[in-house]
Amino acid sequence: MLKLKNTLIIIGFLFLSFNLLSQNSLQSGCVVYNIKMNPKQSVKNIQGSRGFHQMRKKMENVFPKLKFTLRFDRNESIFFMNPNLEIDGKEFLNKLAIIATRGESKFFINKNEKLVLEQKSYFGEDFLVKFSTDDLKWTLINEKKIIGKYTCYKAAVKRVNSGPLKKGEKFSTYIAWYCPDIPFNFGPYEFTALPGLILELSNDHIIYTASIIKLSKEETKIERPSQGKLITKEEFEGIGKKAFENR
């Protein structure tokens, strides 16, 4: 009996070691996220005119057509909206949905440099807005749930657009569900620095959920955005404030 017990312990240890070795050999991956409106913020629960509610209801039909992709290796990632020929970016509701999901921007992260670059256009000019991953102050929460076949754990962070929370500013709380079994510290947009890949991200309005997860033992090349004027978030906010005042 003792011999059998020892044998089972050895088998369990070997299985665990093999699993950890397999995870550590992963070098890159790709995730596609579906999006939908957060049901907690349904049309009935939001104040506004009848026209506003009708417009929001129509946007709920646009969101499922939008797909976002996260590509990553051990050190870098890039997140962007997938091109969709069915979506006319000039049509008002489609344009509004793209703006609401920040679909016009690309987000690049370099973990070693603790750097986030948001590539975006503003009044016809291209910018690379930079800020630090240290701005993310995650709170880990002792809750878990299954997404697909993966066990995920909950974390929360307060954000003001693409940047850290400042005193007196209105903020959104983002909830992330990350998977420690997928050993990459990335997720949608600038959200990073959790002990596992983010498979679901939500705020009060939108939920992003991984629908396709591809992991590879092959290395890949993440293209760093280079088009645009490199500025800080504070400098970009100054440009926006000046443009608003001039209007």
Side-chain angles (χ1 to χ4, degrees):
M1 186 69 181
L2 183 59
K3 185 177 180 180
L4 176 60
K5 184 178 180 180
N6 290 339
T7 301
L8 291 175
I9 291 173
I10 292 172
I11 291 173
F13 177 77
L14 291 174
F15 177 79
L16 179 62
S17 299
F18 177 79
N19 190 42
L20 291 173
L21 182 63
S22 178
Q23 291 173 359
N24 290 333
S25 66
L26 295 172
Q27 296 299 321
S28 63
C30 175
V31 178
V32 176
Y33 294 87
N34 294 338
I35 69 170
K36 64 179 180 180
M37 284 194 172
N38 194 329
K40 293 181 180 179
Q41 286 289 314
S42 64
V43 173
K44 294 180 181 180
N45 296 331
I46 301 175
Q47 295 181 353
S49 66
R50 181 179 179 182
F52 172 82
H53 290 309
Q54 290 176 342
M55 181 177 67
R56 181 179 171 84
K57 191 68 177 176
K58 290 179 180 178
M59 281 182 63
E60 286 185 2
N61 298 325
V62 177
F63 274 19
K65 299 178 183 179
L66 303 180
K67 309 290 183 184
F68 289 78
T69 293
L70 174 70
R71 298 187 187 278
F72 51 88
D73 62 16
R74 283 289 182 178
N75 184 49
E76 295 180 330
S77 72
I78 191 160
F79 179 80
F80 55 89
M81 188 182 78
N82 297 359
N84 187 338
L85 296 178
E86 296 181 10
I87 298 293
D88 179 3
K90 295 181 180 180
E91 201 277 327
F92 178 70
L93 281 175
N94 293 341
K95 185 70 172 179
L96 199 60
I98 292 171
I99 292 173
T101 58
R102 296 154 78 186
E104 295 178 315
S105 295
K106 286 185 178 181
F107 290 80
F108 169 85
I109 294 174
N110 183 292
K111 189 169 65 174
N112 288 344
E113 297 177 24
K114 297 184 177 181
L115 172 71
V116 180
L117 291 177
E118 180 183 358
Q119 185 182 59
K120 62 195 302 182
S121 295
Y122 190 68
F123 282 97
E125 187 174 358
D126 293 327
F127 294 94
L128 289 171
V129 184
K130 64 177 181 178
F131 46 99
S132 173
T133 59
D134 284 341
D135 292 340
L136 288 162
K137 307 298 182 184
W138 289 104
T139 299
L140 302 184
I141 301 169
N142 188 26
E143 294 182 32
K144 64 181 180 179
K145 72 174 181 178
I146 304 298
I147 298 176
K149 64 179 182 179
Y150 297 101
T151 300
C152 297
Y153 296 84
K154 189 177 182 180
V157 67
K158 296 176 180 179
R159 298 293 279 169
V160 180
N161 297 321
S162 297
L165 179 65
K166 296 179 181 178
K167 188 175 181 180
E169 286 187 299
K170 293 183 178 180
F171 62 87
S172 294
T173 298
Y174 285 83
I175 301 297
W177 292 92
Y178 64 94
C179 178
D181 288 336
I182 307 179
F184 296 93
N185 312 115
F186 302 112
Y189 301 105
E190 73 269 30
F191 296 98
T192 183
L194 283 171
L197 189 69
I198 297 174
L199 298 189
E200 184 175 288
L201 178 76
S202 64
N203 57 23
D204 290 339
H205 308 290
I206 306 172
I207 299 175
Y208 302 77
T209 305
S211 59
I212 300 173
I213 304 170
K214 295 181 179 180
L215 305 173
S216 175
K217 296 180 182 180
E218 302 294 327
E219 294 184 359
T220 190
K221 176 66 176 176
I222 304 299
E223 185 175 349
R224 185 175 185 141
S226 59
Q227 181 179 338
K229 180 181 179 182
L230 184 64
I231 59 174
T232 65
K233 180 178 180 290
E234 290 73 22
E235 289 171 334
F236 182 79
E237 289 174 344
I239 293 172
K241 183 178 180 181
K242 183 178 292 186
F244 180 79
E245 290 173 350
N246 289 339
R247 289 180 62 189

